[in-house]
Amino acid sequence: MKSSRKIPVVTIDGPGGSGKGTVSQLLAARLGWHYLDSGALYRVLGLMAQRCGISLDDEPALCRLAETLKITFVPQADGSPAQVTVDGKDVSNELRTETTGELASRVAVLLAVRTTLLQKQRDFRQNPGLITDGRDMGTTVFPDALLKVFLTASPEVRAERRYKQLKEKGFNANLGLILGEIRHRDARDTGRSVSPLKPADDAWILDCSTLSLTEVVETVSRRLQARLAETQTATR
Ligand code: DC
């Protein structure tokens, strides 16, 4: 067994707009653990492919691009999305748009792309621990995670949240369009044959439609403390 396996990982998977990114970052900041936003990797790839004129179904070219991109995350202590740089340039604002989400969802269906990004994601497993969010963190990337959460909320609640986020940032937003895009992306993420969006068999499913952000962070945090205590007892 590789020694990195002993480093605790918490996976927070779920559909877009469920708040998993914010919850993960707040937890990581609270614990002083590392954080990986796996969706940002797919977003960067989709965005850079478009900028470089690479077709979104040209798997070999997308994989070559994925291998060369130098991506850094600067987490924000208030839970707002991490600042993301690609080859030293800040792309944070372009990454969060619905257009980039759509590009990401299209490159994310490709097996070779997912395989290329697998080790990049596993490299984030560093001491003292990792909090990571995405679609397949618990099922595929970190199947031996200490705690697997599947965070979900109704499409309407998620659309409303995304609408507010965009408005707050000064972007033009249309609630009906966002809801349509969320439903469309859910269908693609859930229906694809490679690493589809679904809870791991041993995931804890948490519907946060009626919970505040603070309640979700507190609930997950308590569950994690219980898991850490269990593993300490087991190794004694
Ligand atoms: O979480 P997000 O909205 O930033 O994700 C963008 C897209 O990337 C989403 O449509 C599905 C894909 N994705 C994925 O397939 N696997 C992941 N682990 C994370 C994201």
Side-chain angles (χ1 to χ4, degrees):
M1 187 186 281
K2 278 168 87 181
S3 59
S4 68
R5 287 263 174 126
K6 295 185 192 113
I7 299 171
V9 177
V10 177
T11 58
I12 306 192
D13 287 306
S18 57
K20 55 191 168 22
T22 313
V23 170
S24 302
Q25 286 200 82
L26 288 172
L27 263 181
R30 181 187 279 201
L31 296 161
W33 287 16
H34 298 275
Y35 167 61
L36 165 65
D37 170 3
S38 63
L41 299 180
Y42 292 96
R43 284 175 182 262
V44 164
L45 187 59
L47 181 71
M48 297 313 285
Q50 193 191 46
R51 284 192 184 171
C52 301
I54 295 173
S55 163
L56 295 186
D57 49 21
D58 184 346
E59 283 195 70
L62 288 168
C63 290
R64 281 196 298 276
L65 181 63
E67 272 161 10
T68 55
L69 292 173
K70 302 248 173 323
I71 306 169
T72 63
F73 294 95
V74 183
Q76 309 293 299
D78 64 357
S80 58
Q83 185 196 39
V84 183
T85 70
V86 180
D87 299 332
K89 292 201 186 72
D90 189 340
V91 293
S92 317
N93 284 338
E94 293 97 309
L95 277 201
R96 298 320 311 169
T97 66
E98 292 304 312
T99 312
T100 309
E102 173 64 18
L103 297 173
S105 178
R106 287 176 60 192
V107 298
V109 300
L110 304 170
L111 173 61
V113 165
R114 300 197 76 88
T115 309
T116 304
L117 290 179
L118 199 56
Q119 193 54 46
K120 270 191 194 287
Q121 294 171 84
R122 290 185 175 151
D123 289 343
F124 280 82
R125 188 175 201 163
Q126 304 278 344
N127 270 317
L130 174 69
I131 311 280
T132 178
D133 76 79
R135 303 294 188 288
D136 62 341
M137 297 294 100
T139 51
T140 308
V141 185
F142 300 105
D144 62 338
L146 176 69
L147 175 65
K148 299 180 186 178
V149 182
F150 192 84
L151 195 64
T152 188
S154 70
E156 290 76 14
V157 168
R158 289 186 277 131
E160 184 79 37
R161 286 180 186 162
R162 195 142 268 180
Y163 173 79
K164 280 194 188 143
Q165 276 171 2
L166 289 170
K167 281 289 193 193
E168 275 164 21
K169 288 190 156 188
F171 289 110
N172 245 339
N174 175 307
L175 185 58
L177 275 182
I178 294 176
L179 180 58
E181 279 160 358
I182 280 184
R183 289 209 165 108
H184 171 70
R185 195 129 56 85
D186 279 359
R188 185 187 284 139
D189 293 345
T190 313
R192 67 174 178 233
S193 55
V194 192
S195 273
L197 166 66
K198 67 165 190 179
D201 291 340
D202 50 351
W204 170 46
I205 299 174
L206 183 58
D207 187 326
C208 64
S209 300
T210 59
L211 297 177
S212 70
L213 188 60
T214 315
E215 286 170 324
V216 177
V217 174
E218 283 304 324
T219 311
V220 176
S221 193
R222 276 200 300 275
R223 189 81 162 216
L224 173 59
Q225 294 310 331
R227 286 292 292 130
L228 286 167
E230 272 167 37
T231 50
Q232 270 164 14
T233 312
T235 52
R236 248 180 229 146

